[in-house]
């Protein structure tokens, strides 16, 4: 016999419920679970409020050993109140969780209550589950207050469906936007890891077998160009080597590149046009902002973008008005409308979909009906299109 609890707290024989009643009961149980999670969050916020301290020396932190220990990761600060050292233990005991879990819950609660008010408002309305809001809080906890506020404003409306890739990209954009100098230093530090390494021994089961590994870490534009070149040569090799797989032909393409370089000596091959979508903002005075965005990758400093574009032919596309909504009767949108929707959505609108909008189709939100068969005019416009 299966026993559950009804809304009033009394026992219910779940195995006596019919098909529709089971779904109703499951829906109600899920709603109670969401409300209980919100109640735990409220209790945690209040617990933090009753255990605040002003001196970081006495603040709780991950890995704390003593109240006078300068813990590397403090709970609070930067727009959030700090809580007393060892205040997590009573909360952990009350909730029957580990001290680390209690510390994490306290940190997430403070982040939501004090630095993510828009997301918290949606949690209060039971529109965003607590677990998803906490994942946002953990992603923004290391940001400056201004950067956290930026993420809060950008993500609140879609917090109920935002995926980890989109969230990480937005957080990184905020981090770079409000601390561009630090982002540029990080770019420069990352260049120190650039290298090309070749490994021969133990390629398979401890044996060499004529197979080696090459690992390249370097400039994104250069490596993307190299990958594209390898792919084009591998395609051209299909006619001469139909028996080889695409992966084998990619490796053979590397030999073609080496042979061509040897044949030309030190003469560099002529440049080849390639396409990258870079977004830069100009001030009314004509100055370019110090930070731009590379589609599908993230923020990049002006210096890095300048380095990529040096010696290249650049095409500047017209500025799009995000409020433009001219409707048309045809099913397929014109190029300007497609580009506007891509810039607006940035990625597939389905929950947790990671595909960039530029690789998606544009579908009508309300089904398009051919005007020749009674469809109304102006069905195709940015508001009725979505990337998916």
């Amino acid at each position: 016999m299966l026993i559950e609890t009804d809304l009033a707290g009394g026992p219910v024989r779940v195995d006596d419920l019919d098909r529709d009643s089971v779904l109703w009961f499951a829906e109600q149980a899920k709603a109670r679970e969401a409300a209980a999670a919100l109640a735990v969050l409220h209790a945690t916020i209040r617990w933090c409020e009753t255990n605040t301290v002003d001196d970081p020396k006495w603040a709780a932190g991950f890995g704390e050993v003593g109240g006078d220990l300068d813990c590397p990761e403090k709970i609070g600060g930067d727009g959030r109140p700090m809580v007393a050292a060892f205040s997590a233990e009573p909360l952990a005991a009350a909730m029957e969780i580990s001290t680390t879990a209690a510390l994490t819950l306290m940190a997430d609660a403070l982040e939501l209550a004090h630095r993510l008010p828009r997301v918290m408002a949606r949690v209060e309305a039971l529109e965003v589950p607590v677990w998803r809001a906490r994942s946002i809080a953990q992603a923004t906890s290391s940001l400056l207050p201004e950067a956290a506020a930026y993420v809060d404003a950008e993500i609140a409306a879609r917090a109920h469906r935002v995926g980890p890739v989109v969230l990480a990209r937005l957080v990184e954009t905020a981090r770079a936007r409000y601390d561009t100098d630090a982002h540029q230093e990080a770019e420069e530090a990352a260049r120190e890891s650039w290298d090309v390494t070749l490994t021969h021994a133990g390629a398979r089961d401890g044996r060499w077998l004529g197979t080696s590994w090459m690992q390249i870490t370097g400039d994104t534009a250069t490596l993307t160009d190299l990958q594209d070149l390898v792919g084009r040569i591998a395609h051209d090799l299909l006619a001469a080597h139909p028996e080889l797989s695409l992966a084998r032909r990619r490796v053979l393409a590397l030999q073609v590149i080496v042979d061509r370089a040897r044949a030309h000596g030190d003469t560099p091959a002529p440049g080849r046009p390639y396409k990258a979508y870079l977004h830069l903002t100009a001030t009314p005075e004509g100055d370019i902002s110090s930070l731009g965005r590379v589609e599908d990758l993230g923020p990049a400093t002006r210096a890095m973008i300048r380095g990529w574009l040096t010696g290249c032919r650049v095409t500047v596309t017209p500025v799009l008005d995000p409020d433009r909504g001219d409707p048309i009767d045809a099913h397929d949108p014109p190029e300007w409308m497609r580009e506007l929707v891509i810039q607006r959505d940035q990625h597939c609108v389905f929950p947790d979909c990671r595909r960039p909008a530029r690789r998606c189709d544009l579908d009508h939100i309300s089904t398009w009906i051919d005007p020749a068969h009674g469809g109304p005019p102006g069905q195709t416009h940015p508001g009725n299109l979505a990337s998916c």
Side-chain angles (χ1 to χ4, degrees), residues 74-342:
K74 293 290 184 182
I75 302 297
D78 280 336
R80 298 155 295 191
M82 294 178 293
V83 295
F86 303 113
S87 59
E89 283 77 357
L91 182 64
M95 298 181 60
E96 297 184 347
I97 59 178
S98 69
T99 301
T100 300
L103 283 166
T104 303
L105 176 59
M106 292 163 64
D108 296 347
L110 288 173
E111 181 75 3
L112 286 166
H114 293 273
R115 302 211 311 174
L116 301 175
R118 292 177 176 86
V119 173
M120 186 63 186
R122 297 204 63 201
V123 175
E124 297 277 6
L126 296 179
E127 297 172 347
V128 175
V130 170
W131 67 266
R132 191 179 287 274
R134 288 186 61 187
S135 69
I136 297 173
Q138 290 168 17
T140 61
S141 62
S142 63
L143 296 178
L144 294 172
E146 300 84 358
Y150 171 83
V151 175
D152 186 41
E154 290 289 322
I155 214 169
R158 46 183 171 149
H160 60 290
R161 58 180 174 84
V162 67
V165 173
V166 174
L167 175 60
R169 188 171 296 166
L170 181 59
V171 168
E172 186 59 26
T173 297
R175 192 189 309 278
R177 179 171 181 169
Y178 290 93
D179 197 352
T180 305
D181 291 342
H183 188 79
Q184 185 164 354
E185 290 177 4
E187 287 179 347
E188 295 171 354
R191 294 187 184 97
E192 298 300 321
S193 68
W194 291 5
D195 198 3
V196 178
T197 59
L198 184 63
T199 303
H200 300 294
R204 178 170 298 180
D205 299 331
R207 295 183 294 168
W208 171 52
L209 301 179
T211 298
S212 300
W213 281 291
M214 174 171 282
Q215 179 175 322
I216 305 175
T217 304
D219 178 66
T220 299
T222 301
L223 295 188
T224 300
D225 203 11
L226 176 61
Q227 182 190 43
D228 186 67
L229 177 61
V230 168
R232 289 192 301 113
I233 296 176
H235 175 75
D236 294 340
L237 289 170
L238 178 61
H241 299 280
E243 77 283 0
L244 296 181
S245 66
L246 176 59
R248 293 280 303 278
R249 283 185 277 116
R250 286 197 186 105
V251 176
L252 186 58
L254 294 176
Q255 184 61 57
V256 173
I257 294 173
V258 171
D259 291 342
R260 289 176 181 175
R262 286 172 176 166
H264 287 83
D266 295 331
T267 304
R272 177 184 61 81
Y274 63 94
K275 182 179 289 187
Y277 294 94
L278 308 176
H279 299 269
L280 299 168
T281 302
T283 66
E285 293 76 22
D287 297 326
I288 302 298
S289 63
S290 59
L291 190 72
R293 179 172 63 86
V294 185
E295 278 194 22
D296 297 342
L297 294 175
T301 58
R302 181 175 57 192
M304 174 176 283
I305 294 174
R306 182 186 294 113
W308 285 352
L309 299 182
T310 300
C312 297
R313 186 178 64 183
V314 179
T315 300
V316 180
T317 59
V319 176
L320 293 174
D321 179 3
D323 296 325
R324 183 177 179 183
D326 308 1
I328 63 171
D329 297 335
H331 177 274
D332 295 336
E335 187 59 32
W336 71 263
M337 189 180 299
R338 174 177 175 80
E339 187 67 22
L340 192 151
V341 174
I342 288 173

Side-chain angles (χ1 to χ4, degrees), residues 352-369:
D352 297 327
C353 182
R354 304 180 180 183
R355 182 183 304 169
R358 199 168 294 281
R359 301 180 191 172
C360 296
D361 294 326
L362 296 191
D363 286 345
H364 287 77
I365 297 173
S366 298
T367 304
W368 185 85
I369 302 174

